[in-house]
Amino acid sequence: MPKREDHYYVTTPIYYVNAAAHIGHAYTSIAADIMARFQRLLGKQVNFLTGTDEHGQKIARAAEAKGVGPQTFVDEISEGFRDLHKVLNASNTDFIRTSEPRHIAGAQKFWEVANASGDIYKKSYEGLYCVGCEQYFVEKDLIDGLCPIHKKAPEMLSEENYFFRLSRYTEPLKKYFDEHPQFVFPQNRQKEMRQILEEGLDDISISRSTEKLSWGIPVPGDDSQVMYVWFDALTNYVTAIGYGTDEKFFGDWWPADAHVMAKEINRFHSLLWPAMLMSAKLEVPKQIVVHGWLTVDGEKMSKSLGNVVNPYDIVSRYGIDAFRFFMFREMSFGSDGDFSYTKLDQRYRADLSNDLGNLLMRTIAMTHKFCEGRVPLETKGEHQEFWDRYSAHMNAWEFQKALEVVWDYVRGLNQLIDREKPWTANKEGRTEDVARTLYTLLEGLRQIAIAIQPFMPETSEKMLRQLGFEFFEPNFSNLVEWGLLKSGAELAQPEALFPHIE
Ligand code: ME8
């Protein structure tokens, strides 16, 4: 069965449970959520997967350091990630843990199929391993002998392991990249991967001896080895939708439309994962969506610097929608970005409180004052261009640009008020002018409320409620038409969307 046309499947990485969630994780999950909500507006049925990556050396050691068993340890932190997604108002439809039976069964099946393709063999190996990355390095990729990401010297490991014939997929991958120039977003990340392919891929170790590491999924048919954590983890994208356990469901949803992540794990997703899928005779995902790294006040977030930003703190001060908006209005998705409370504060005041909040407040207050709180006579308007520009950016993951399009509209409506001065028109008895301006504002605000829905779902709902627009079925085809606010409909009392924060 081919994947169903009206289905959209988006994923985040499954996060390591060695430490608590921070804004970096929140950023990725919100990005995926924005796309999930946008696709629902387009009328798609969406499967949105996130979850936790619970095996491997890094986690085994973190549990040991805390003096608890690995299962107890991962249970607690995984719960924290689940909770974070609720606080973020993420609309994920699933949350997978790699310690779950459905995942273990699927990962083992995947191994068996790759093995049957002749892509798995055993050999002795010695190499430099970074536990932070859960990855082997070759000398030339280290900087002064240190891992470029964790700035630590990797450990020398030597043992007999199973290997995956990644080298065999260099040519098929090159071909795939050439035929799918939009496979990796953004373009510079696609080029980077294509360059690595040019150099050729080496086979990689995909298991560990249980003598060294027992916290993992047993290799089928060999109890003395567990799977390498990345081989295990990547399969979550298929095991969560029933690979090995529910073939019908799997057929409806695979291949994924988008795997979202930051750049440090692009290589695993754009090269290793497609090769694994080719080996397992499965389709390659449609797009790998890679964003940059977040820094805080210009510095890398780190425990030792004490600058790790806790998303709960931001949400309790500014509310979830302001946080969601800020992360994608301030930074260009795909590039690196910097978080600071100063910039968040500025955006909150300028873009949200002033531009949008006051626009709604003034419009509703004037409607109460000049039109008895009822939507005035409908006025024609043309908004196709707005939706075309907005949708083109949304489809291309250009969230910052999509928000620019929306804020141009917001500013345009604010200018309309200043230009038309409905209070003067009212005083002069030009009731038709007043009605026309107010209708344009109210209906424009309704359109804006829909456009911001993927970014700020709660604010969108509040706006629609204040505008007296009760019907809310999240589907563009019923919502973007001009003129859905019916004349005579009663407006609620205005309420500040983004109240002043001390
Ligand atoms: O890599 N800026 O898990 P992880 C932006 N388990 N994004 C950030 C970030 C930052 N400073 N910090 C974290 C793993 N992220 C593996 C993934 S998938 C099969 C296995 C986000 O907990 C970003 O999405 O280290 C990054 O790729 C991910 O968290 C890394 O999460």
Side-chain angles (χ1 to χ4, degrees), residues 14 16 22 24-25 28 53 230 237 262 264-265 291-294:
I14 44 172
Y16 282 131
H22 56 65
H25 308 113
T28 313
D53 188 354
W230 269 103
Y237 301 128
E264 83 289 357
I265 55 174
H291 63 73
W293 275 339
L294 284 187

Side-chain angles (χ1 to χ4, degrees), residues 165-181:
R165 283 190 211 283
L166 184 56
S167 60
R168 183 189 254 186
Y169 292 95
T170 303
E171 289 311 316
L173 283 170
K174 275 188 192 166
K175 185 161 176 273
Y176 191 84
F177 269 70
D178 292 345
E179 285 169 1
H180 299 84

